[in-house]
Amino acid sequence: MAYHALWLPTAEKLGLKWVPQFENGPIVEVGNLPAVMDELRKLRDALAGNPKNDSLLERIDWILEKFSELDIAEVSRIAIG
């Protein structure tokens, strides 16, 4: 699974807080969404440059796009997992 093989080791190497929690399906308060998105961007940057990671980069881009589309006035928490 890409999460264990790439996401998790890269997140730990970068010292990310949120990405390592994704496996357990955390509930994230909407106020923490900018931090989660920032971590996803850092993860994406770290994985970029290797053609083997193209599908993972597409997945991260899709997640970031969906988070950006959220109406934070309508949402208080987000389940990730």
Side-chain angles (χ1 to χ4, degrees), residues 8-27:
L8 192 56
T10 304
E12 289 175 355
K13 187 179 189 181
L14 295 171
L16 304 182
K17 170 187 168 187
W18 289 103
V19 173
Q21 296 179 46
F22 288 0
E23 181 176 27
N24 298 321
I27 303 287

Side-chain angles (χ1 to χ4, degrees), residues 25-47:
I27 303 287
V28 177
E29 299 293 325
V30 75
N32 292 319
L33 187 57
V36 171
M37 292 176 71
D38 183 57
E39 285 197 9
L40 285 169
R41 287 184 194 100
K42 288 177 182 175
L43 179 67
R44 189 194 189 293
D45 289 346
L47 295 173

Side-chain angles (χ1 to χ4, degrees), residues 48-59:
N50 184 339
K52 292 181 182 180
N53 295 337
D54 285 350
S55 63
L56 291 176
L57 299 177
E58 288 177 19
R59 180 69 175 160

